[in-house]
Amino acid sequence: MAAFATNGALPASLLARYAEVKDGLGLDSAQFGLLVVGYAVGGTLALNLPGVVARRIGVARSAGWGTAWIALTLALVGAGVAWSNPWLVLAGLITAGLADAIVDVAQNSQGIRVQTAYGRSLLNSMHAGWSIGAAIGGAVGTLAAVLGVPLWLHLLLWGALCATTMAASASAFLPEAAQAGTDPEAPDGSSPEPAETPRLRRSTMLVLLPLALIALAGISVEDIGNNWSAVLLASERDMALASAGVGLTVLLTAQFVGRLFGDAVIDVLGDRRALYISLAAVILGLTGAAWAPNVALTLVGLAVAGAGSAITVPLAFAKADAVPGLAAHSGVTWISWTMRTVTIGLSPAIGALSSVFSLPLAITTIVLIAVAALMLQVLRRS
């Protein structure tokens, strides 16, 4: 949980000062939007690198060194703002995003191993740790801004603390040779690369694609919450701009609570029934929020969607990691890469649809991802 919290705390501290970044570089909204997508682009450019790195040096060192890399590159972002150099900022964001993909795969792979060792669901609670870390990081960033701490100094000091915390957490990771699927004969205890045939690759993809849809159903809720919940409340429900951010708070709080109790729900109901309920909640919650007649029901819909999305990504990671015929960490890498890639185009797609039709209709269209994920799960069961 400390490792996940660290991974959430590090970038969130910069996000809290994005308005300062925009003003410091003298960018308009369109230019700023193109700039900050660099973090997501970096994660997409990682491709299968996170899995390769984890197999070569192990998940503990991947998480530790990867976090140090993020810390340094985000400090570079702060320096770019101080020097009014948007290209330096963009380079820092892209390289930080690439490192974040490596850390993401490493910590989730380790979390799955710990969960397997305990014999019960635990990964959702670890993701709740990420939520706690993100909240703390945002608060630290806001406090640093209020106190007038230079951005580069704030990011450098906060990065050093987060990197130290991750290193301490990684020191307690399970040894590579003790993990399932590893080769004890290998010098570093890493997993052997399986010789996949074209037929095996096709059968593997038939398993991974439904899992990707499950993860995308969850991440679409977060994207709508981050980028569109305030717009929905202000433009469609006539809520005051200063108060419209409450939608995101409600959604993320519900997601956090869902992750705290998600493991217990999975242990009682089993993966499949818990997933049915989760995806149904995403569908009902987002659709209800999109078309609710008032603010109160809109917030209820966002809360239901947030709680429903809580277990989707952790479950997708855990199931992808267990797909037979894949090298160690490849399943987690593929799901992570898919989420990062689709996220780049998700908000622009919502914006384009809302411009042509309406925001409620655009959000309802995105709900089709969760509908497809649920239908595939039902069909696979039958």
Side-chain angles (χ1 to χ4, degrees):
M1 285 189 72
F4 276 79
T6 298
N7 187 240
L10 194 45
S13 209
L14 170 62
L15 292 176
R17 301 186 71 171
Y18 259 0
E20 183 179 337
V21 173
K22 180 176 179 293
D23 290 343
L25 295 175
L27 303 177
D28 59 30
S29 295
Q31 292 170 329
F32 182 70
L34 289 174
L35 179 74
V36 297
V37 80
Y39 200 89
V41 170
T44 300
L45 291 176
L47 297 174
N48 68 333
L49 182 63
V52 173
V53 172
R55 289 191 294 274
R56 292 293 177 86
I57 69 173
V59 293
R61 280 183 285 181
S62 294
W65 288 108
T67 300
W69 180 355
I70 298 172
L72 287 174
T73 49
L74 289 185
L76 186 67
V77 170
V81 174
W83 296 333
S84 300
N85 188 330
W87 295 108
L88 188 59
V89 172
L90 180 61
L93 288 173
I94 291 174
T95 50
L98 194 153
D100 183 69
I102 293 172
V103 175
D104 185 39
V105 169
Q107 67 182 9
N108 274 286
S109 296
Q110 175 65 193
I112 292 165
R113 300 295 182 251
V114 172
Q115 175 174 271
T116 302
Y118 271 90
R120 59 187 175 90
S121 182
L122 289 171
L123 195 59
N124 294 284
S125 297
M126 297 179 199
H127 278 255
W130 187 95
S131 301
I132 295 172
I136 293 173
V140 169
T142 301
L143 179 62
V146 170
L147 296 177
V149 180
L151 181 62
W152 67 268
L153 181 59
H154 152 222
L155 293 175
L156 186 64
L157 295 176
W158 185 241
L161 178 61
C162 289
T164 302
T165 303
M166 178 62 88
S169 302
S171 68
F173 279 14
L174 291 177
E176 293 292 297
Q179 295 181 6
T182 58
D183 181 7
E185 305 264 336
D188 59 353
S190 59
S191 298
E193 299 286 345
E196 293 185 358
T197 64
R199 183 175 180 179
L200 178 59
R201 285 197 295 269
R202 286 196 296 270
S203 64
T204 299
M205 290 305 296
L206 288 176
V207 178
L208 286 176
L209 284 174
L211 296 179
L213 279 176
I214 292 170
L216 291 174
I219 206 70
S220 65
V221 174
E222 294 183 20
D223 190 83
I224 289 171
N226 289 338
N227 300 318
W228 297 101
S229 60
V231 177
L232 177 69
L233 288 168
S235 64
E236 302 292 331
R237 307 292 181 265
D238 296 323
M239 194 173 189
L241 286 174
S243 306
V246 69
L248 177 59
T249 301
V250 167
L251 188 151
L252 292 181
T253 300
Q255 186 187 65
F256 169 68
V257 173
R259 284 176 171 168
L260 281 181
F261 293 98
D263 292 313
V265 172
I266 290 172
D267 287 336
V268 171
L269 299 179
D271 289 356
R272 187 173 297 276
R273 281 187 290 178
L275 189 56
Y276 287 164
I277 295 172
S278 176
L279 292 172
V282 169
I283 295 167
L284 293 174
L286 284 184
T287 305
W291 299 102
N294 55 51
V295 170
L297 288 178
T298 301
L299 293 177
V300 170
L302 291 174
V304 171
S309 71
I311 68 170
T312 52
V313 174
L315 265 181
F317 275 141
K319 289 182 175 295
D321 187 68
V323 173
L326 288 176
H329 319 305
S330 292
V332 176
T333 299
W334 195 85
I335 295 296
S336 177
W337 179 84
T338 302
M339 287 194 301
R340 292 171 186 274
T341 302
V342 173
T343 300
I344 292 176
L346 199 58
S347 270
I350 294 173
L353 286 170
S354 62
S355 296
V356 176
F357 302 105
S358 68
L359 182 54
L361 187 59
I363 292 174
T364 305
T365 302
I366 300 302
V367 173
L368 293 177
I369 297 174
V371 173
L374 181 57
M375 289 180 63
L376 276 177
Q377 293 304 306
V378 173
L379 290 173
R380 285 169 62 85
R381 180 65 173 176
S382 61

